[in-house]
Amino acid sequence: MGTRDCQHQIAMSSPAAGEAGATGDWRTERPVLDPALCLAQKQEKEACQLCWVYCPDLCIARGVPPAVLLTYCKGCGICAEVCPTDAIAMVPERESAAAAAGGAR
Amino acid sequence: MTRLVDLPTQEHMLPGNRACAGCSLGIGLRSILKALDGKAVMTVPASCLTVIGGMYPTSSVTVPWLNVAFPGCAAAAAGLAAGLRATGRDREMTVLAMAGDGGTADIGIQALSGAAERNDDFIYVCYDNEAYMNTGTQRSGLTPAGARTTTTMLGKRENPKDMCRIMEAHGIPYVASTSAVFPDDVYDKLARARTLRGLRYVHMNTPCPSGWSFEPRDSVTVGQLAVDTGLVVLFEVEGGVFRLTGRSKTLAKRGKRPPVADYLATQGRFKGMSPEAATEIQRWVDGRWAEYLRRDAAGATT
C-alpha cells in the first residue's frame, strides 16, 4: 500500500500490487498444476503458456512449468479451463489447505 | 499475426486489483497496454475499469491514468492529446480513452462523436460488457436483445446499437471490433492503431461472469463462443477498407457457424427466453454476418 503524501496539490495514486489487499482471500478453489501433464514441461521449453496468457489477474508466472502466485489468485479457474492438457485442477481450498498443512498460502 | 506465446512478457498491470474473479477485462487490458508498450496515458470515466484503476492512494496499473466524469472520456482525451502536441510529446506516448458500453454508446457518445468529427489524435477503446455492470447490471444501448438485466426483467426487447458502424460513419482512420478473450487479436489491433494518427476506435467485447450469469471459469469459453456463433465479429476497417481478422476470418473460410442458441444457453441472462425470440436473434445475426462477408469480399478486391 502507498502512503498519503499531503504535499501533492492533486490526489495522485501510486502503483502497487494488492490494491484490494491479498485477493487470494476471495478464493474458494485453488489451481494446482500437475507438471507431468503440462505441455511446457513435456517439451522442456516455454511452449503453450496459455494459463499465463489468459489469467486476468497476472497470477501465473511464465515458465517451465508456469507457477501460480497464490497470494493474489482469486480462484476464477480460467487457467484450468483453457489448459489444453487439463494439467491444472481446481482443488477446494479446504482440502488443499489440509494437504499443504501450513504450506505457502 | 502475433502468437499468444509470443506476447510481450512486460506487464503494465499489477495483481491484487478489485475486479471480480474471472473478469475478462483484465485479460483485455493486459494486451492493450502491452501493445502500447506501457507508453500511454489513459482517461477513464465511471465504469468497471475504475475498479481496476483502484482507490486512492494506490493503483493497479503502471501507466498514468485520469479518472474523469462519465460523459467526458473522449473530451478529456482530446484535451490530453492537444496538451501533448503543444509540448511536443505526442510521439512519445499514446492517449488512450477507455470506457464501457454505457460510457460510450449512451452517456459518452456526444463527446466521442465530437472528437471523431475533429479527428482528435487518440485511441478510444470501448470495452463492451453489454450493460452497466459497475452499478449492478442495468441495460445499456449495447445490451443485446433478450438479455435480462435489473431494468429489463423480462429480457431487453431492442437490438443493440452498432457502435462500429456509427464510428465508421464519422470517417475516422481506423475502426476495429475485437474480443478481450482473444488477446492476440486485441494486441495486433492496438499495435496497428498505435502507428496511425487521428481518432482510432476499437470495440472490445468483454464477457462478464456476474452480469451475464455464468461461472467465472467460463469467461474465455463464453467469449470464444460469442465469436464462433457470429454475435461478435472480429474485423478492422482501415481507410475505409473492411477486413475480417483472426477467428472470424477462419469462420468465414469454413462457412459454418454453431447456432446462436448454443451461446444463449451458456448464460443465465438469456434463461427463459422463448424459442421465437432465439430464432429472431439467429436471423439478426445471420443478416449481419452476410453483410460482413459481403464487405470482406469487397475489401479483398480493393
Side-chain angles (χ1 to χ4, degrees):
Chain A
M1 293 284 280
T3 50
R4 273 172 199 261
D5 175 0
C6 300
Q7 299 306 308
H8 287 300
Q9 297 206 336
I10 52 166
M12 194 167 72
S13 299
S14 45
E19 186 270 321
T23 47
D25 287 359
W26 303 5
R27 198 171 55 228
T28 54
E29 289 178 322
R30 75 163 61 184
V32 177
L33 189 139
D34 181 357
L37 293 172
C38 177
L39 219 53
Q41 181 76 23
K42 276 187 200 161
Q43 299 181 5
E44 290 176 346
K45 61 171 184 184
E46 241 179 53
C48 186
Q49 308 292 325
L50 284 187
C51 46
W52 165 77
V53 168
Y54 286 107
C55 178
D57 286 292
L58 306 100
C59 286
I60 295 194
R62 278 177 76 110
V64 186
V68 185
L69 315 170
L70 286 169
T71 316
Y72 298 117
C73 169
K74 295 170 187 165
C76 67
I78 287 179
C79 50
E81 200 66 23
V82 297
C83 180
T85 55
D86 290 331
I88 300 176
M90 295 306 287
V91 181
E93 201 53 41
R94 223 165 262 193
E95 285 172 33
S96 53
R105 205 182 106 84
Chain B
M1 185 156 178
T2 313
R3 292 190 311 151
L4 287 170
V5 70
D6 297 331
L7 287 173
T9 50
Q10 177 67 43
E11 304 284 355
H12 306 284
M13 273 174 72
L14 293 158
N17 60 49
R18 227 164 271 263
C20 307
C23 175
S24 64
L25 183 51
I27 310 173
L29 186 60
R30 273 179 71 193
S31 301
I32 290 171
L33 293 179
K34 281 177 183 183
L36 300 178
D37 200 18
K39 293 185 178 67
V41 49
M42 297 181 66
T43 64
V44 179
S47 67
C48 287
L49 192 56
T50 50
V51 173
I52 290 183
M55 285 204 296
Y56 183 72
T58 44
S59 168
S60 292
V61 283
T62 57
V63 299
W65 170 302
L66 202 63
N67 285 319
V68 300
F70 218 147
C73 184
L80 275 175
L84 286 175
R85 192 175 63 240
T87 50
R89 297 174 67 198
D90 50 339
R91 298 270 165 189
E92 252 172 66
M93 55 168 81
T94 312
V95 180
L96 172 67
M98 197 163 165
D101 49 301
T104 301
D106 300 342
I107 300 176
I109 197 165
Q110 49 80 17
L112 176 58
S113 179
E117 186 219 345
R118 298 186 301 268
N119 200 21
D120 282 321
D121 185 26
F122 63 90
I123 300 179
Y124 192 102
V125 176
C126 166
Y127 69 94
D128 181 9
N129 48 23
E130 304 184 342
Y132 290 87
M133 295 312 182
N134 193 30
T135 47
T137 325
Q138 289 83 13
R139 64 91 88 182
S140 79
L142 293 182
T143 304
R148 284 197 298 198
T149 65
T150 48
T151 46
T152 52
M153 303 282 208
L154 299 172
K156 193 189 169 203
R157 295 196 201 99
E158 305 83 7
N159 279 319
K161 299 182 189 181
D162 192 340
M163 253 335 267
C164 289
R165 289 302 288 266
I166 294 175
M167 294 315 291
E168 261 188 84
H170 286 81
I172 54 175
Y174 189 80
V175 176
S177 163
T178 185
S179 168
V181 299
F182 289 87
D184 44 352
D185 198 67
V186 175
Y187 181 84
D188 285 344
K189 281 173 180 159
L190 264 293
R192 180 70 197 132
R194 190 187 179 197
T195 63
L196 303 169
R197 310 283 284 179
L199 182 61
R200 295 138 279 172
Y201 178 82
V202 180
H203 196 92
M204 182 172 81
N205 184 259
T206 309
C208 168
S210 42
W212 299 9
S213 309
F214 61 82
E215 289 294 319
R217 62 185 297 148
D218 294 328
S219 273
V220 171
T221 40
V222 166
Q224 288 177 343
L225 200 54
V227 172
D228 285 347
T229 53
L231 263 162
V232 174
V233 180
L234 312 178
F235 66 81
E236 60 184 5
V237 187
E238 192 183 327
V241 180
F242 182 97
R243 205 170 67 83
L244 288 173
T245 61
R247 179 87 69 117
S248 290
K249 196 168 149 190
T250 317
L251 283 165
K253 276 194 195 131
R254 201 189 296 158
K256 216 174 84 186
R257 287 171 293 122
V260 170
D262 289 5
Y263 169 76
L264 302 179
T266 57
Q267 298 153 59
R269 62 175 175 160
F270 294 115
K271 220 176 197 172
M273 195 183 203
S274 69
E276 294 80 44
T279 317
E280 189 48 49
I281 293 178
Q282 179 73 56
R283 194 161 34 223
W284 180 74
V285 168
D286 289 347
R288 270 168 43 119
W289 181 252
E291 174 68 7
Y292 287 130
L293 289 185
R294 190 192 61 73
R295 296 188 69 197
D296 185 52
T301 56
T302 49

